[in-house]
Every structure is written in structure tokens, then in C-alpha cells.
Amino acid sequence: MKAIYFLVALLALTSSVASAYDPSPLQDFCVAINDTKNGVFVNEKFCKDPNLVKAEDFFLHVNPGNTKNPLGSKVTTVTVNELVGLNTLGISLARIDFAPKGLNPPHIHPRGTEILIVIEGTILVGFVSSNQENNRLFTKVLNKGDVFVFPIGLIHFQLNVGYGNAIAISGLSSQNPGLTIIANNVFGANPPISPDVLTKAFQVDKSVIDKLEKQLWYNNN
């Protein structure tokens, strides 16, 4: 009987872990296409007829990002929405350009672990563990060639602490990892979150919440 209980628990655990990531493809590729006539619906996208697939479906040129903005950074994403050949492959990419002191603010990818490599400059990175792990901050200063991992679903950030521009490339374990920028989502929600919720959550006066909600929260993506 104990063996049966163990097997059921193991199957439940395996199923929950598997569902946390993009499912593995059962074909070589499934190039996304917005065509209900000539496509088959797979993983939220329609797939192009394999006979019509071209090399260009797997190619994208990424230009340097414009960092002249309030955050001093620009994230250029390469998800299934930008590169249709990524459909069903379970990966994506981002290029992050930083001006001096530029910041990629605290954010979350709900569907993907991120691995980052510094191409140029010096970048302070960090992530915060969950309540279960006592909200520990893990932080590190990275230089050219250094690599750092941000576990799936945890708040993380990157700050250029050098005197020149910086560039980093991130790989993510989902074709569409999602993005939640903490400040933007909390104080820029539409419609706004009730001040009763925010004043108690942050333990500040309503005037502070009013000021934060009036702020123009820039999106660097």
C-alpha cells in the first residue's frame, strides 16, 4: 500500500514539474504563423506548413537598443513573437543595453529561468528568494565574460555600475517567458489597485501611494 502511495506522489510531482516548462516538441519545428487556413494550432500559435518554411523563419537581426530613457537601459527581446521559428522550442533571448548607471529594474519572468552573460562593461546583478527562503538577496558584480543565473519566477535586476556603456545577453527557458515589472505593475495597474490595499501592504500614508501612482513608469522593453 505504501508503494502505491509513493507512486501516486511521484507521478503528481513529475506532472507538476513538467507543466512548469514549455512542452517538448514532437516534430523538428513548428514555425508560427497567423493563418487559420493553412496552419495547425500548437502551443498557442498556428504552425506553418513545413513545406513552406524558409531559413528566414529562423533568422533575426538584433540592433543595439536606445538607452536614452529614464531608466538608461533597453531590453530587446527575441521571443516567439519576434522570431517565429522559436515556436515549440522552449527558449528565447534578450539583449540588454545599458547607459552608464542604467538600470533594468526589478522584474519577474513567470515562465522562464534566465541565464545572463556580460558582453561589455560591469554590471551589478541580483535576485531575491521567496518567502519560503526568507527573502534572501543574492547579488554579484559581473564583468565581461561572467555568467549569472536568475531562477524562474524570482524578482531580479541588473544595474550598470561601470563608467561606460554595458551590454548583456540573456537566454530564457521558454519561448514566451513573460514579464512583470514590479513598480510598473503595482503602481501603474489599470484600473489602479485600491489605495486601501497599497497603504496597508507598504505601510505608508495614502499621499505616498498617490505620488507613486502619478509617476510615469517607463517600460524599457
Side-chain angles (χ1 to χ4, degrees):
M1 201 66 176
K2 286 183 179 178
I4 293 175
Y5 288 144
F6 175 77
L7 180 60
V8 170
L10 183 61
L11 287 172
L13 177 62
T14 305
S15 136
S16 66
V17 170
S19 65
Y21 302 93
D22 294 350
S24 297
L26 299 178
Q27 64 281 328
D28 287 346
F29 46 77
C30 178
V31 173
I33 183 174
N34 293 320
D35 185 349
T36 57
K37 258 189 190 177
N38 300 313
V40 177
F41 193 71
V42 177
N43 286 15
E44 104 177 313
K45 298 286 184 182
F46 283 91
C47 295
K48 198 178 204 180
D49 182 338
N51 295 319
L52 302 177
V53 170
K54 302 176 291 185
E56 285 74 18
D57 293 322
F58 303 97
F59 171 81
L60 183 71
H61 179 77
V62 178
N63 291 310
N66 184 355
T67 59
K68 292 181 179 178
N69 58 63
L71 292 173
S73 71
K74 175 62 179 175
V75 179
T76 306
T77 57
V78 183
T79 69
V80 67
N81 297 315
E82 292 82 30
L83 182 57
V84 291
L86 283 176
N87 195 40
T88 74
L89 299 185
I91 59 170
S92 58
L93 188 79
R95 171 179 170 141
I96 314 168
D97 289 275
F98 300 87
K101 310 307 175 188
L103 170 71
N104 191 18
H107 62 280
I108 291 169
H109 301 294
R111 295 182 294 277
T113 290
E114 176 179 350
I115 184 166
L116 175 143
I117 182 168
V118 177
I119 304 302
E120 180 182 318
T122 302
I123 301 173
L124 170 69
V125 302
F127 70 86
V128 182
S129 67
S130 65
N131 291 347
Q132 181 181 340
E133 298 294 335
N134 299 318
N135 301 319
R136 292 173 61 198
L137 172 64
F138 297 82
T139 186
K140 187 81 174 169
V141 174
L142 306 182
N143 294 296
K144 183 176 179 179
D146 289 342
V147 174
F148 197 83
V149 173
F150 307 99
I152 185 172
L154 298 185
I155 296 173
H156 58 284
F157 59 87
Q158 298 103 23
L159 172 68
N160 180 6
V161 292
Y163 295 100
N165 295 331
I167 304 170
I169 302 292
S170 286
L172 298 113
S173 62
S174 171
Q175 68 182 43
N176 189 10
L179 174 68
T180 300
I181 303 175
I182 308 303
N184 299 40
N185 283 51
V186 172
F187 300 110
N190 185 20
I193 298 173
S194 166
D196 292 336
V197 173
L198 296 180
T199 51
K200 286 190 177 182
F202 290 95
Q203 299 176 34
V204 296
D205 293 333
K206 186 175 180 296
S207 59
V208 176
I209 299 300
D210 289 342
K211 182 177 180 180
L212 289 169
E213 288 188 326
K214 288 175 183 174
Q215 179 80 20
L216 293 175
W217 295 101
Y218 183 78
N219 184 349
N220 64 338
N221 281 255

